[in-house]
């Protein structure tokens, strides 16, 4: 068993804080115009969510449904258009409104047809005012939906990054992860993406799949690198409730943790040895590749507008979204309710961000990046020292060997073991209030 001061390395992927399971219905249902009235709006991020996939992978707990019967995609885009109009009106024109980056996620945005993708881009540009040809635009896709006509639309409209979930180049492993795909389809999709000349290709891989071996993991890494992707994401497999793999009990958690750590270290070292730089626990960027990141958007401080029933929006004081679910029937109900909504002028579900939560979020989102966090930047923003606000936590991380003792004095940075344990370190910085809400959330 893990020692008390050595938590399990794989607890939670902290891609946003607070997690949506901490969100609750907002009794006041505040107007968006009031929420955004005093916010900076000169470097916003824009995210459009498409909650449809052709299949649902066994590990997936994203907000998405399989297929879109009837005219559901049309109704969804109609609702997205109404929401965008209401949100842009709420932002007002008293101060300049500018989007510094955009992303289409899901689900699988390329589940939409080429014409529907064109309309999605129109909503971003004509309704929200985002200049997709002038800012980074990242789009998620899949082997089955990365067709030439769809990719042509995205390339023409300014996409700078395409991210494709391959997960494994070994057929037996893809099957074990309940990831229906043919190797020939994966190769054809990657070939089409490269032919589209979108500057940045990202390939997602998963380690810890049943039956995976060091040899087969190396095979997938090499197969991915043969396409010279600018970015590679290495994800540990999680078995979550209400997913295709969720019913599989694991009596060997310690052994599985050890295997996943071994796979992680093998993958990290292999990519670094082949010219990739580690950006975070999961992300690796090929040396010299163009960065598809947000050049002038800081996720710690700048706001985000999320459109779609699975998207979240951030102001400095409130994170808000719609209801969240994983189970098929619940997801369908939320999507149906969204497509029937006429009034998008109020926030419905969310979490209030006070000063303590803002400090935690800033530390989390900075520390989990390989470049670390500037103590001076923290001091400038919050008027105090990070070591005073989070002394016990940082001391604990240091004792575990997670902090880089050789970092410059002003830089708080994780060492190799800290990055390897990001999914344990992140949850330890959750506030008591967030922990209580997440624990009380009933999966649906």
């Amino acid at each position: 068993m893990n020692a008390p001061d050595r938590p399990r390395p794989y607890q939670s992927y902290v891609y946003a804080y607070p997690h949506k399971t901490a969100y609750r219905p907002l009794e006041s249902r505040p107007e968006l115009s009031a929420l955004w009235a005093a916010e900076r709006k000169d470097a916003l991020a824009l995210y459009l969510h498409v909650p449809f996939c052709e299949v649902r992978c066994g590990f997936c707990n994203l907000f998405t449904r399989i297929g879109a019967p009837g005219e559901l995609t049309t109704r969804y885009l109609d609702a997205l258009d109404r929401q965008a109009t209401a949100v842009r009106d709420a932002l007002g024109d008293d101060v300049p409104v500018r989007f510094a980056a955009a992303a289409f996620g899901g689900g699988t945005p390329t589940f939409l047809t080429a014409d529907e993708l064109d309309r999605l881009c129109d909503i971003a540009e004509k309704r929200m005012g985002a200049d997709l040809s002038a800012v980074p635009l990242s789009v998620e896709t899949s082997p089955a939906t990365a067709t030439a006509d769809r990719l042509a639309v995205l390339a023409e409209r300014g996409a700078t990054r395409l991210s494709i979930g391959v997960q494994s180049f070994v057929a037996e492993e893809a099957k074990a992860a309940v990831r229906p795909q043919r190797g020939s389809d994966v190769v054809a999709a990657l070939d089409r993406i490269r032919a589209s000349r979108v500057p940045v290709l990202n390939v997602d891989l998963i380690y810890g799949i049943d039956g995976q071996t060091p040899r087969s993991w190396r095979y997938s890494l090499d197969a991915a690198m043969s396409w010279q992707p600018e970015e590679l994401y290495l994800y540990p497999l999680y078995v979550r409730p209400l997913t295709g793999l969720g019913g599989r009990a694991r009596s060997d958690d310690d052994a599985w943790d050890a295997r996943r750590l071994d796979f992680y270290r093998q993958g990290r070292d292999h990519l670094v040895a082949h010219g990739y730089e580690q950006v975070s626990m999961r992300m690796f960027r090929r040396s010299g590749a163009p960065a598809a990141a947000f050049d002038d958007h800081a996720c710690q401080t700048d706001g985000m507008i999320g459109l779609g029933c699975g998207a979240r929006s951030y102001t400095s004081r409130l994170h808000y979204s719609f209801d969240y679910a994983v189970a098929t029937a619940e997801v369908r109900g939320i999507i149906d309710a969204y497509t029937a909504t006429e009034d998008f002028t109020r926030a419905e579900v969310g979490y209030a961000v006070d000063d303590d939560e803002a400090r935690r979020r800033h530390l989390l989102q900075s520390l989990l990046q390989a470049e670390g966090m500037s103590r001076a930047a923290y001091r400038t923003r919050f008027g105090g020292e990070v070591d005073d606000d989070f002394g016990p936590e940082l001391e604990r991380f240091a004792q575990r060997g997670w902090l880089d003792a050789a970092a410059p004095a002003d830089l708080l940075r994780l060492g190799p073991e800290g990055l390897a344990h990001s999914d344990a370190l992140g949850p330890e910085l959750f506030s008591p209030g967030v922990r209580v809400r997440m624990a009380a959330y009933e999966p649906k």
Side-chain angles (χ1 to χ4, degrees):
M1 295 292 293
N2 285 284
D5 64 339
R6 289 281 180 177
R8 292 193 179 281
Y10 298 103
Q11 296 184 34
S12 177
Y13 172 23
V14 187
Y15 59 89
Y17 179 78
H19 190 269
K20 285 180 74 173
T21 54
Y23 290 17
R24 294 294 184 271
L26 300 169
E27 293 183 6
S28 61
R29 297 182 64 242
E31 292 187 353
L32 301 187
S33 57
L35 290 177
W36 286 97
E39 297 288 319
R40 282 187 52 190
K41 306 164 197 172
D42 59 337
L44 298 173
L46 178 64
Y47 177 76
L48 275 64
H49 181 256
V50 179
F52 307 112
C53 289
E54 72 277 10
V55 295
R56 185 167 196 136
C57 303
F59 51 83
C60 177
N61 72 335
L62 298 177
F63 183 89
T64 188
R65 63 161 291 166
I66 301 172
E71 299 296 321
L72 183 55
T73 55
T74 298
R75 296 199 305 275
Y76 186 82
L77 289 171
D78 289 345
L80 201 67
D81 201 329
R82 293 194 299 274
Q83 185 189 8
T85 300
V87 170
R88 184 60 188 85
D89 288 345
L91 291 177
D93 294 306
D94 294 340
V95 297
V97 176
R98 173 181 169 271
F99 292 96
F104 301 159
T108 308
T110 49
F111 178 90
L112 300 177
T113 67
D115 287 343
E116 288 171 335
L117 283 171
D118 219 20
R119 185 181 178 194
L120 189 71
C121 293
D122 281 344
I123 291 171
E125 292 199 322
K126 296 178 181 179
R127 292 290 184 263
M128 295 304 301
D131 186 352
L132 299 182
S133 65
V135 302
L137 170 59
S138 178
V139 184
E140 297 174 14
T141 189
S142 69
T145 62
T147 59
D149 58 340
R150 292 174 169 107
L151 297 178
V153 168
L154 295 173
E156 182 180 351
R157 298 302 294 261
T160 56
R161 178 180 184 269
L162 292 171
S163 178
I164 183 168
V166 174
Q167 319 315 348
S168 176
F169 284 87
V170 178
E172 293 80 5
E173 292 176 7
K175 183 178 180 180
V178 195
R179 169 79 177 180
Q181 64 186 23
R182 296 186 303 178
S184 58
D185 291 339
V186 172
V187 170
L190 288 167
D191 193 42
R192 289 191 296 269
I193 290 172
R194 277 309 193 199
S196 75
R197 300 195 179 279
V198 171
V200 175
L201 163 65
N202 173 72
V203 176
D204 291 344
L205 298 176
I206 286 181
Y207 54 91
I209 301 171
D210 285 349
Q212 193 171 48
T213 67
R215 182 177 180 180
S216 68
W217 177 227
R218 176 72 65 90
Y219 175 83
S220 282
L221 290 166
D222 288 338
M225 284 194 293
S226 70
W227 295 91
Q228 297 187 322
E230 284 71 25
E231 295 176 2
L232 274 164
Y233 271 70
L234 308 184
Y235 287 95
L237 178 67
Y238 275 95
V239 175
R240 301 179 176 98
L242 303 180
T243 64
L245 297 176
R248 301 188 184 183
R250 284 199 172 271
S251 58
D252 60 342
D253 283 347
D254 289 333
W256 192 37
D257 283 347
R259 286 200 302 274
R260 284 184 288 178
L261 271 176
D262 285 344
F263 284 131
Y264 162 78
R265 290 171 176 140
Q266 178 186 346
R268 174 198 62 195
D269 295 347
H270 194 57
L271 293 185
V272 170
H274 285 78
Y276 281 80
E277 300 169 353
Q278 185 165 21
V279 179
S280 68
M281 173 189 173
R282 287 164 171 77
M283 181 182 176
F284 296 80
R285 179 182 295 124
R286 182 159 53 81
S287 299
F294 312 150
D295 292 335
D296 57 354
H297 172 85
C299 62
Q300 299 93 332
T301 56
D302 293 322
M304 184 168 84
I305 296 292
L307 301 178
C309 57
R312 65 185 83 196
S313 298
Y314 304 147
T315 72
S316 61
R317 289 298 173 182
L318 182 72
H319 292 190
Y320 62 92
S321 183
F322 296 92
D323 201 3
Y324 170 72
V326 176
T328 300
E330 297 285 348
V331 170
R332 289 179 177 178
I334 294 170
I335 293 174
D336 289 344
Y338 175 82
T339 60
T341 299
E342 295 292 336
D343 182 3
F344 287 102
T345 61
R346 295 178 178 271
E348 303 290 340
V349 177
Y351 188 92
V353 179
D354 59 17
D355 290 342
D356 175 66
E357 297 289 18
R359 288 192 291 269
R360 291 178 184 275
R361 183 169 182 264
H362 185 102
L363 176 59
L364 266 171
Q365 294 190 302
S366 302
L367 192 57
L368 294 183
Q369 299 296 307
E371 66 183 7
M373 188 196 77
S374 162
R375 285 186 165 89
Y378 183 95
R379 187 184 312 120
T380 298
R381 182 179 179 191
F382 298 108
E385 300 294 336
V386 65
D387 300 272
D388 293 335
D389 293 338
F390 297 99
E393 292 91 342
L394 296 179
E395 177 61 26
R396 189 162 62 246
F397 299 160
Q399 290 176 353
R400 292 172 182 163
W402 289 357
L403 299 182
D404 182 1
D410 182 58
L411 188 62
L412 185 62
R413 184 171 64 195
L414 297 181
E417 281 304 290
L419 286 171
H421 288 80
S422 292
D423 286 4
L425 184 153
E428 292 200 30
L429 291 172
F430 291 2
S431 72
V434 165
R435 291 175 184 273
V436 167
R437 286 198 176 196
M438 291 181 69
Y441 177 80
E442 296 184 6
K444 58 183 180 180

